[in-house]
Amino acid sequence: MELHDVWFVLIAVLWTGYFFLEGFDFGVGILTRLLARDRTERRVLINTIGPVWDGNEVWLLTAGGATFAAFPEWYATLFSGFYLPLLLILLCLIVRGVAFEYRAKRSDEHWQRNWETAIFWTSLLPAFLWGVAFGNIVRGVKIDQNLEYVGNFWDLLNPYALLGGLVTLTLFTFHGAVFTALKTVGEIRERARTLALRVGAATAVLALLFLVWTQVDNGDAKSLVALVVAVLALVGALAANQAGREGWSFALSGVTIVAAVAMLFLTLFPNVMPSTLNEDWSLTVTNASSSPYTLKIMTWCAGVATPIVLLYQGWTYWVFRKRIGTQHIAADAAAESLH
């Protein structure tokens, strides 16, 4: 296996890790409006991801940086062609981070409600737009002989990509609902399990349609295996949720995300961005990659830094592993929610 193939796999792993972790992160943000009934419950939801949301975004930064260094042509074409949706995602992530930090700076109800609204929308929009973006990457876009994107914004809003956006939106919401059930106690835990069942049913229909469509268009035996694993894991997650086994349900919903993302990258390889104008103009792991020397240096750096990051992030989740509920919210904060 050549180094550019290795880095294609590593970038796929980074995106998989990002969607697994930021997926429930986005889902919890969406649930602040769909599940929480008052400010105290919204604070419980926010507190479940409070210690980890910024660490989850490190995976996005690493995936973007790795793409820039290992496949500069892919990075340039992707970020120029998808400029508007990626800019919107970036703005959402910025506002979302500010909302988490500034929401509790004042006890004023209007102040907190505005930041909570920002958390909801800046979680929902990226959850949808990431599916649209990856749907277009897998489907292919208008790339000319100079390896440049020559389409427009409206070309990205095709039925396949929009379906991909609905899949990521519902899947992340389901993942977040299962995570909420795993991390909370009391009534909010029960309502999270009920909502997870409803959202999960919708997710199963949309995901099956999207993955079968992907398999028919670009799939092979390996991607078919990933499809089967994704579907079985999602069904298992729903069954475990129904049985009250939140840990198993969360693990299986994570497997669903991992298998689905793996399937997309399996159908993509050896391309990184197919051209719908001419197959010979597609960006591949060969014509879009950096020099072998650059990839070699990157491999050594990744081999040293990656285990340290994984150990630290794993330690963070272990420290903040306990469940929380409305009874753990300070009395003054609970009282404020009644005004």
Side-chain angles (χ1 to χ4, degrees):
M1 181 181 288
E2 299 291 335
L3 278 179
H4 52 64
D5 297 330
V6 172
W7 273 97
F8 178 85
V9 174
L10 290 176
I11 289 173
V13 170
L14 290 171
W15 280 111
T16 302
Y18 174 67
F19 288 138
F20 179 93
L21 296 172
E22 193 83 309
F24 72 75
D25 201 324
F26 286 142
V28 171
I30 294 169
L31 293 178
T32 57
R33 277 289 177 268
L34 302 183
L35 182 65
R37 292 178 175 174
D38 54 38
R39 290 170 61 190
T40 302
E41 290 191 351
R42 283 192 289 274
R43 183 168 175 180
V44 169
L45 291 178
I46 292 171
N47 284 358
T48 63
I49 58 174
V52 298
W53 68 267
D54 48 354
N56 294 344
E57 292 188 354
V58 170
W59 288 77
L60 172 62
L61 298 175
T62 307
T67 303
F68 172 77
F71 298 100
E73 194 68 51
W74 182 14
Y75 182 92
T77 303
L78 175 65
F79 278 79
S80 61
F82 293 19
Y83 180 81
L84 284 178
L86 291 179
L87 177 61
L88 182 56
I89 290 174
L90 178 61
L91 291 175
C92 284
L93 294 180
I94 292 172
V95 173
R96 188 168 181 264
V98 172
F100 281 131
E101 297 297 331
Y102 275 71
R103 176 192 171 277
K105 296 296 183 182
R106 290 170 56 183
S107 59
D108 178 69
E109 181 180 357
H110 183 69
W111 170 273
Q112 293 194 0
R113 187 188 301 117
N114 286 340
W115 286 120
E116 289 163 357
T117 300
I119 290 172
F120 170 75
W121 285 109
T122 56
S123 297
L124 185 148
L125 288 175
F128 175 74
L129 290 174
W130 278 127
V132 174
F134 271 82
N136 278 292
I137 291 173
V138 173
R139 171 182 174 271
V141 291
K142 295 179 180 179
I143 298 176
D144 65 11
Q145 65 271 25
N146 297 317
L147 306 182
E148 295 181 358
Y149 178 73
V150 293
N152 56 51
F153 172 76
W154 302 110
D155 291 330
L156 303 177
L157 303 181
N158 55 81
Y160 176 79
L162 291 174
L163 177 59
L166 291 176
V167 170
T168 53
L169 176 59
T170 55
L171 181 56
F172 291 170
T173 305
F174 170 69
H175 198 40
V178 173
F179 178 79
T180 299
L182 177 64
K183 288 287 293 179
T184 58
V185 294
E187 184 183 351
I188 193 170
R189 175 189 177 189
E190 298 302 321
R191 280 191 274 117
R193 286 174 51 195
T194 301
L195 182 60
L197 186 62
R198 296 172 182 172
V199 176
T203 303
V205 175
L206 293 171
L208 182 61
L209 179 59
F210 178 74
L211 294 179
V212 169
W213 190 345
T214 304
Q215 178 67 24
V216 170
D217 280 354
N218 303 301
D220 57 15
K222 294 179 181 178
S223 62
L224 180 59
V225 171
L227 186 156
V228 172
V229 171
V231 172
L232 291 178
L234 183 54
V235 172
L238 286 168
N241 176 74
Q242 182 68 12
R245 302 297 297 272
E246 291 99 344
W248 279 105
S249 184
F250 178 72
L252 288 169
S253 67
V255 171
T256 303
I257 293 175
V258 171
V261 176
M263 180 186 177
L264 295 183
F265 277 93
L266 285 169
T267 58
L268 189 60
F269 186 82
N271 294 322
V272 293
M273 282 189 75
S275 172
T276 57
L277 300 179
N278 189 321
E279 288 185 4
D280 295 334
W281 297 344
S282 297
L283 291 173
T284 68
V285 293
T286 303
N287 65 17
S289 69
S290 294
S291 67
Y293 181 76
T294 299
L295 296 178
K296 184 177 181 180
I297 296 298
M298 289 176 59
T299 303
W300 281 104
C301 293
V304 174
T306 303
I308 298 173
V309 174
L310 291 176
L311 287 172
Y312 176 76
Q313 192 162 26
W315 175 79
T316 302
Y317 277 92
W318 175 256
V319 170
F320 296 100
R321 67 189 182 278
K322 293 184 178 180
R323 295 176 183 265
I324 62 173
T326 54
Q327 67 270 30
H328 299 113
I329 302 301
D332 56 342
E336 288 169 4
S337 67
L338 302 177
H339 295 309

